[in-house]
Amino acid sequence: MGLFMASLAMSAQSQLVINNTNGSKEKVSLDKRPTVTFSTYGEKVKVSYDGKQKELDVKNIQVEGVKDGSGEMAIIDLDGDKVMIPLSRLKSISQASFESEADLLPKVISQNPAVSIYYEALKVTHMDDSLKHYIDETYTWASDKDRIDSCTWTNDKLCIPVAKGLDGSGGEYDNVAYPEKRYFNYTAFLVPDSVLKEKYGITNLDGLRKKAHELYDPMFPEDKDVTDETNRCNALNRFISYHLLPIFGQYYTLTAYDGSGNLQYNFNRRKADITDWYETLMPHSIMKFSFPSGSQAGLYVNRRSVQHHEDDMGVLIRGAKVATYKEYELNNVAINGAYHYIDDIVAYDETMQKVVCDDRIRVEATTLSPDFMTRLTDGETARGHYWGNAERYGMVVNTSSATDNPNRSVGFKPGFTRNIKMTPNTHMHVRGRSLWFWSYEGDEVIFKGRYDATIKLPPVPAGTYEVRLMSCIGFATRGVNNLYIDNTLVGENVDFRLGSRASFGWKSDGELGDEEAIAAFDKEIHAKGWMKGPGDYYPGQRTAFDASSVPMRGLDSTVRRVVGTFETDGNSDHYLRIQQMLDSDNNEFPLDFIELIPIGRIETENIY
């Protein structure tokens, strides 16, 4: 995005006080005409003066000794546009002070005349203001001792042991680092003006308003007369905010299909499309992304199908297709997000709520918080983070030496992770796993220690849902957990240290024999609160899908725990709490995914 510079020229009485992140301070007299240069995504700050240049890891820079009305000015260079600011107003400088609104997502969208109608809707609803957040200025390290690491993966204390065997042997180490800064990112999905005209005859904002009411008045009749377009219950506000996500979503990061690599070959895509689900900026709404294979390969929003045909329930909803970067030469990436063209309107309408969502909603754990999919200080996101050996899913190295461990796991501090509330005794990190390991999509969210975490469940339409969680069990360091839904205890002292054969008498499909026996066994263990793992995902490292390999359903260590049920009106938040009951700092719980399924679909659900 470029560099942001401040040239500070003042009298000898004025000075910069540079507060470094390690607690040290430096003072520079401003008669030396220092220049401060910030660059994006947390790179070190450069301070130049007297022909010298220092590269520093800076928490903030303060200006001292400047009297009000002195007339002393700072020259701020915002990517070539120079602005003068009175020094008496510039008391403290951080990178956020120098980021130009021109680099934020709303401004980048405004510069594209092909999406002028959607941009006008962004403005009148004031949803453009929601897309201007970038840096969390409240995110701090209390002290150098508290600041354990900052995306450098060099701290041996954060090489965390996990997954010891029942006999205490084996195990591995996750090399964890915490972000130095906390950012906010957004992704917008925009229908070009030409498509609106061709498909709906919409040529201006009034036409879009009318369409918004057509879509949302039947779903929210109590709000059809809300005329204030900044009100979150207004139809146009709902319409445009549903097109916005609070994450950094690139074409090949919105699902597990990344356009290259081997992860795609772990899915049986003849049985199910690769999918992910995300909460949108429209309150209590969810969006689905699919990447089918075959003749209709590509990224879609709110699609329901398998490849080019109906799913097992006879449903085919095409959804809206997302354009690839190659289809349009766009400057579609901003400092705090990105936008994409889609070839049709998307809405949280009757089709989405009653058809697309009337299915098993499998939500990957590494998408549960927008912070897991927000760019870190190194420019990457925690989900799918590259390892130190330049691989996305490298082989585990069982060493507690950070220098020798290429694993790149990202830790998150209590109080700074949206949708997840943790006690101070809870350690949590997103781990990138080996594709060989028993982990769905090659990653997990790990809770470690005397953990107690409450997770906001993804929003779903009105109805009654069963909640399940996926985990890898049977290791001595797994926890004994109490499970709650909306503060109601629904699972007491569930022991994930035990293998599935001990927990519920796991048997392979081969042992059971025919389909009738398999179905009966599935129903039997479901009544006990357990399910086998998914049948459409096959762990392993391969360059082509191999149907003869073993899916998670065939592994006795990868199982789903049926937590319980909840009823929702579609406009309320609901929560899952996982509480460690052992008095130990050495146990962990790996959360792989959460499933929400309408109870009416359980009897007709296939084994995939």
Side-chain angles (χ1 to χ4, degrees), residues 353-530:
Q353 293 195 43
K354 295 186 177 181
V355 182
V356 177
C357 289
D358 185 31
D359 201 1
R360 178 180 54 216
I361 297 173
R362 182 178 295 164
V363 183
E364 164 64 32
T366 58
T367 68
L368 285 170
S369 172
D371 291 277
F372 299 160
M373 295 188 67
T374 294
R375 278 184 165 177
L376 305 167
T377 48
D378 63 356
E380 294 190 48
T381 61
R383 186 197 191 196
H385 199 289
Y386 278 94
W387 285 37
N389 54 11
E391 295 183 15
R392 181 154 283 174
Y393 300 100
M395 294 301 292
V396 171
V397 178
N398 295 329
T399 174
S400 60
S401 166
T403 302
D404 300 324
N405 193 330
N407 179 289
R408 293 290 184 262
S409 293
V410 181
F412 291 87
K413 295 169 58 177
F416 294 99
T417 310
R418 284 165 286 178
N419 296 347
I420 300 178
K421 182 180 179 181
M422 299 177 280
T423 59
N425 289 331
T426 303
H427 166 89
M428 181 184 71
H429 68 267
V430 173
R431 69 187 322 206
R433 294 308 317 270
S434 163
L435 295 183
W436 282 109
F437 193 74
W438 308 312
S439 172
Y440 185 76
E441 296 190 358
D443 47 22
E444 298 169 320
V445 175
I446 290 283
F447 297 99
K448 182 79 176 177
R450 304 179 192 187
Y451 53 83
D452 189 345
T454 299
I455 302 165
K456 185 166 79 73
L457 292 171
V460 286
T464 303
Y465 294 81
E466 181 174 273
V467 182
R468 309 159 182 168
L469 55 83
M470 170 78 180
S471 189
C472 179
I473 69 174
F475 290 87
T477 52
R478 297 303 194 234
V480 175
N481 299 330
N482 279 358
L483 304 174
Y484 302 78
I485 296 178
D486 293 337
N487 293 320
T488 298
L489 180 64
V490 291
E492 187 172 10
N493 292 327
V494 182
D495 194 341
F496 289 91
R497 299 171 302 177
L498 300 175
S500 58
R501 293 185 187 272
S503 295
F504 58 88
W506 186 94
K507 294 180 182 179
S508 71
D509 291 352
E511 291 176 81
L512 294 166
D514 59 26
E515 291 185 8
E516 185 176 344
I518 292 171
F521 182 75
D522 285 349
K523 190 171 184 178
E524 175 190 335
I525 64 173
H526 185 275
K528 297 178 181 178
W530 296 95

Side-chain angles (χ1 to χ4, degrees), residues 144-161:
D144 185 48
K145 184 178 180 181
D146 177 57
R147 183 176 180 261
I148 303 171
D149 211 355
S150 60
C151 278
T152 55
W153 293 279
T154 57
N155 192 329
D156 288 349
K157 293 181 179 178
L158 276 176
C159 268
I160 295 175

Side-chain angles (χ1 to χ4, degrees), residues 77-94:
D77 188 335
L78 299 174
D79 244 1
D81 295 329
K82 292 183 172 56
V83 179
M84 299 190 72
I85 297 177
L87 273 169
S88 58
R89 286 171 42 199
L90 199 62
K91 300 296 186 183
S92 181
I93 310 169
S94 67

